[in-house]
Amino acid sequence: MSKNGGFFLGALFGASVAGIAALLYAPKSGKELRRDIAVEVDQFLDSAGEYTDYAVERGVELYDAAYETTEDIKVNLKDSADQFKSQFDDIRQEASTEWNRVKSDMNESKDELSKDAQKLKEDAEDLGDTITVEAEDLADDVSDSTQHVKASTEDAVDTVKNEVNK
């Protein structure tokens, strides 16, 4: 995209300079020469205006594409977070069911199963903590990615504006 735009700008500038040079070396009166130069300048300004419109259009397209991508990322990450929550709820439900089974087994061998129940409880808490930390990390990554995409888009728009203003 950048190479094509640079080539287009160079070709436009080169054609204009060549046209003006040809006019300066052509045997014409001063009045005719000034009129021809004015026509060439007008054509150059028209072409530059078209390039400016093209650059602005491409900048808007880039911004829109980046915005859509950011929205897609947000939706995908929300879906992932919902899946993690669902998995966490399933695991929590499984842990609750297991805990009830352990309690009924405890009536048969209280000392031995008491240790197992405590370990199961700690593992469930660790698992909950791990899932919570991973979900928070994922949310941070989403935020960082969104900021990066936004900054990249703003940089791209600024670059296009700078190229247009040159």
Side-chain angles (χ1 to χ4, degrees):
M1 159 52 209
S2 162
K3 290 182 182 180
N4 291 339
F7 176 78
F8 178 72
L9 182 61
L12 179 69
F13 182 74
S16 297
V17 169
I20 291 173
L23 289 175
L24 289 174
Y25 285 105
K28 294 184 180 184
S29 70
K31 186 176 184 180
E32 289 175 351
L33 179 61
R34 286 189 298 274
R35 182 175 40 88
D36 289 346
I37 289 174
V39 167
E40 283 294 321
V41 167
D42 287 341
Q43 289 175 349
F44 175 75
L45 292 176
D46 288 343
S47 297
E50 290 173 7
Y51 181 72
T52 300
D53 293 342
Y54 170 77
V56 167
E57 180 180 310
R58 293 297 292 161
V60 168
E61 288 174 7
L62 284 172
Y63 177 82
D64 289 343
Y67 181 79
E68 288 176 18
T69 301
T70 301
E71 290 301 314
D72 289 345
I73 289 171
K74 284 180 185 178
V75 167
N76 289 339
L77 290 174
K78 184 181 181 324
D79 290 344
S80 294
D82 289 343
Q83 287 176 350
F84 281 132
K85 184 181 182 302
S86 176
Q87 289 173 353
F88 177 73
D89 289 342
D90 290 345
I91 290 170
R92 187 174 57 196
Q93 182 62 38
E94 288 175 21
S96 176
T97 301
E98 184 66 19
W99 178 251
N100 289 334
R101 185 187 65 78
V102 168
K103 280 176 29 176
S104 70
D105 288 348
M106 240 172 29
N107 290 333
E108 296 173 10
S109 58
K110 192 173 188 179
D111 292 337
E112 197 171 312
L113 291 179
S114 176
K115 293 176 186 177
D116 291 340
Q118 185 62 31
K119 179 158 179 20
L120 180 62
K121 181 180 175 184
E122 290 171 2
D123 289 346
E125 289 173 354
D126 289 344
L127 182 58
D129 291 344
T130 301
I131 289 173
T132 300
V133 167
E134 288 179 9
E136 290 172 352
D137 289 346
L138 181 61
D140 289 342
D141 289 345
V142 168
S143 177
D144 291 345
S145 295
T146 302
Q147 292 299 322
H148 178 70
V149 167
K150 180 180 177 185
S152 295
T153 301
E154 290 173 352
D155 289 344
V157 169
D158 288 344
T159 301
V160 168
K161 285 181 182 176
N162 289 338
E163 286 297 321
V164 168
N165 290 334
K166 285 186 180 177

